[in-house]
């Protein structure tokens, strides 16, 4: 398996060469990938599903554009986790190569759509926070729910269209061009374009957050100088500053988890990858799941509204358990067991 070399030409379009991309050669590597994907994927789906429930079950959060964008991020992470884990484990662990080119490109398009939508949701959230901090008096007029939903719809359509271009014909089999060393059937030029798209998104997010942090620092200095004026405006500024810091933490985790993958993608475009580097790429890909798993934890710890909603959910669950234990049926069962004893 390690000696399977991939020529940089279109002959890689045959189904038998799918095995050349199955870089995990030992049972220990396959077990490690399975454990990482299973653990990160399960926690990611559970945590992000909880975030979606907390957002849309509370009237105070589901009406705010900020949390609509966070909900979009959580949905993207859920879809990415499910599609990534199923396709990645099936391909690299079980070495299933019986599916067609179209099925593989559809799975890859699903993962790319979810990741692109996750990045774009972070960008919209950064822009939302910047407007809220820099122009608080006009925020409700500028950022309405209708505009937020429209922006999210446009975002998902653009991301899905770009991610599905290989399925629609931009692949090395149809174009008879050089294929990627990392992904079967994927054209090198398309991979270059997608990486550029992701880098531009990351650059815009960093630029937007730089302005958010600058405005947040100004608000912190203002609040320290005017602590006596403790009113609704100060309370709102504290919330904006807290949310800005939270989203910066999300961005930092995103960069740390996705930088190795993007670096290896860029390197594969300009040079040849060894078998060892391709194995490293496979393991680094699981960091994407780690990123999706960590995001909800940051929300729960940093967002006061989501944390309060989580506490209410746990309190309601405890009350239901207590009521079930004190119900007449439970008491009757307890008495019957005592009589039998």
């Amino acid at each position: 398996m390690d000696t399977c070399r991939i020529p940089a030409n279109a002959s890689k379009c045959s189904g038998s060469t799918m095995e050349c991309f199955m870089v995990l050669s030992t049972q220990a590597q396959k077990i490690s990938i399975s454990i990482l994907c299973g653990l990160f994927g399960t926690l990611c789906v559970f945590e992000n599903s909880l975030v979606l429930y907390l957002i849309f079950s509370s009237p105070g959060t589901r009406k705010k554009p900020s949390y609509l964008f966070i909900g979009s991020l959580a949905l993207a992470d859920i879809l990415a986790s499910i599609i990534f884990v199923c396709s990645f484990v099936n391909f690299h662990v079980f070495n299933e190569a019986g599916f067609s080119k179209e099925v593989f490109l559809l799975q890859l398009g699903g993962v790319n759509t979810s990741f692109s939508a996750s990045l774009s949701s972070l960008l919209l959230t950064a822009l939302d926070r910047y407007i809220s901090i820099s122009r608080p008096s006009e925020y409700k007029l500028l950022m309405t729910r209708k505009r937020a939903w429209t922006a999210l719809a446009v975002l998902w359509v653009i991301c899905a269209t770009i991610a599905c271009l290989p399925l629609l014909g931009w692949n090395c089999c149809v174009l008879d061009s050089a294929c990627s060393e990392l992904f079967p059937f994927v054209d090198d030029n398309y991979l270059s374009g997608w990486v550029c798209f992701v880098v531009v998104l990351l650059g815009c997010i960093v630029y937007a957050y730089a302005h958010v942090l600058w405005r947040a620092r100004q608000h912190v200095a203002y609040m320290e100088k005017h602590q006596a004026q403790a009113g609704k405006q100060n309370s709102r500024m504290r919330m904006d500053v807290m949310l800005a810091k939270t989203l910066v933490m999300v961005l930092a985790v995103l960069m740390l988890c996705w930088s190795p993958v993007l670096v290896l993608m860029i390197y594969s475009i300009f040079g040849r990858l060894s078998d060892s580097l391709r194995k490293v790429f496979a393991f680094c890909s699981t960091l994407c799941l780690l990123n999706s798993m960590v995001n909800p934890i940051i929300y729960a710890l940093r967002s006061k509204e989501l944390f309060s909603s989580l506490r209410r959910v746990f309190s309601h669950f405890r009350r239901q358990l207590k009521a079930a234990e004190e119900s007449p049926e439970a008491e009757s069962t307890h008495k019957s067991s005592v009589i039998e004893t």
Side-chain angles (χ1 to χ4, degrees):
M1 188 74 65
D2 290 341
T3 59
C4 186
R5 308 303 298 175
I6 304 174
N9 53 44
S11 65
K12 296 188 298 179
C13 293
S14 61
S16 61
T17 55
M18 292 283 286
E19 297 179 357
C20 295
F21 295 88
M22 300 173 182
V23 295
L24 304 182
S25 56
T26 66
Q27 196 67 19
Q29 293 172 354
K30 295 180 179 181
I31 293 175
S32 300
I33 285 289
S34 300
I35 293 175
L36 290 175
C37 289
L39 178 62
F40 293 161
T42 302
L43 290 176
C44 176
V45 172
F46 172 76
E47 292 171 358
N48 283 285
S49 298
L50 181 61
V51 169
L52 285 177
Y53 174 77
L54 293 177
I55 290 175
F56 290 100
S57 64
S58 173
T61 55
R62 68 168 177 259
K63 294 181 179 180
K64 295 182 178 180
S66 304
Y67 289 101
L68 291 179
F69 299 146
I70 293 177
S72 174
L73 175 63
L75 177 61
D77 286 338
I78 291 174
L79 293 177
S81 299
I82 294 174
I83 301 173
F84 177 85
V85 169
C86 292
S87 59
F88 193 81
V89 172
N90 190 45
F91 185 80
H92 284 290
V93 176
F94 297 107
N95 298 137
E96 180 60 46
F99 45 80
S100 64
K101 175 192 70 176
E102 288 75 17
V103 172
F104 177 83
L105 292 178
L106 180 63
Q107 293 174 347
L108 183 63
V111 175
N112 289 346
T113 298
S114 303
F115 173 53
S116 302
S118 178
L119 278 178
S120 301
S121 298
L122 279 175
L123 178 58
L124 289 180
T125 309
L127 295 175
D128 172 78
R129 286 301 87 203
Y130 177 72
I131 295 174
S132 177
I133 291 178
S134 61
R135 305 173 70 176
S137 60
E138 304 174 31
Y139 174 76
K140 290 186 177 180
L141 295 176
L142 296 174
M143 189 59 67
T144 62
R145 289 187 67 199
K146 182 178 180 180
R147 290 181 178 178
W149 281 111
T150 301
L152 288 174
V154 172
L155 174 158
W156 279 87
V157 169
I158 292 176
C159 292
T161 301
I162 294 175
C164 290
L165 286 177
L167 183 62
L168 298 175
W170 192 355
N171 59 74
C172 56
C173 297
V174 174
L175 300 177
D176 194 24
S177 57
C179 296
S180 169
E181 291 186 322
L182 294 174
F183 306 102
F185 313 121
V186 174
D187 179 70
D188 258 343
N189 292 327
Y190 170 79
L191 183 61
S192 303
W194 189 83
V195 169
C196 290
F197 173 66
V198 171
V199 171
V200 168
L201 278 179
L202 288 173
C204 291
I205 293 173
V206 172
Y207 180 80
Y209 275 113
H211 284 279
V212 169
L213 282 180
W214 177 62
R215 298 294 300 185
R217 288 192 62 183
Q218 286 186 329
H219 279 196
V220 170
Y222 175 84
M223 286 185 290
E224 290 177 352
K225 188 176 180 180
H226 302 84
Q227 287 183 352
Q229 302 175 2
K232 185 177 180 179
Q233 185 69 15
N234 272 0
S235 176
R236 178 168 181 173
M237 286 195 300
R238 288 192 187 93
M239 182 185 69
D240 290 338
V241 171
M242 178 65 72
L243 191 51
K245 292 179 179 179
T246 299
L247 297 174
V248 169
M249 292 175 61
V250 173
L251 178 60
V253 172
L254 179 76
M255 296 294 289
L256 288 174
C257 291
W258 279 92
S259 291
V261 173
L262 291 176
V263 168
L264 287 173
M265 283 185 183
I266 295 172
Y267 182 81
S268 71
I269 295 171
F270 297 101
R272 298 281 296 177
L273 289 176
S274 65
D275 293 333
S276 299
L277 283 179
R278 292 167 63 206
K279 289 180 182 179
V280 170
F281 178 81
F283 277 92
C284 287
S285 298
T286 60
L287 291 176
C288 311
L289 291 177
L290 178 62
N291 168 70
S292 299
M293 185 191 74
V294 170
N295 283 345
I297 298 176
I298 298 176
Y299 302 149
L301 293 178
R302 301 287 298 178
S303 174
K304 180 180 287 188
E305 290 179 304
L306 287 184
F307 187 71
S308 299
S309 298
L310 183 62
R311 290 179 59 184
R312 286 196 298 270
V313 169
F314 282 135
S315 298
H316 179 68
F317 182 70
R318 284 199 301 266
R319 286 196 299 269
Q320 284 187 330
L321 286 180
K322 188 175 181 181
E325 292 175 356
E326 296 177 354
S327 63
E329 292 80 2
E331 184 177 354
S332 175
T333 304
H334 176 70
K335 288 182 178 178
S336 299
S337 62
V338 171
I339 291 173
E340 291 176 359
T341 305

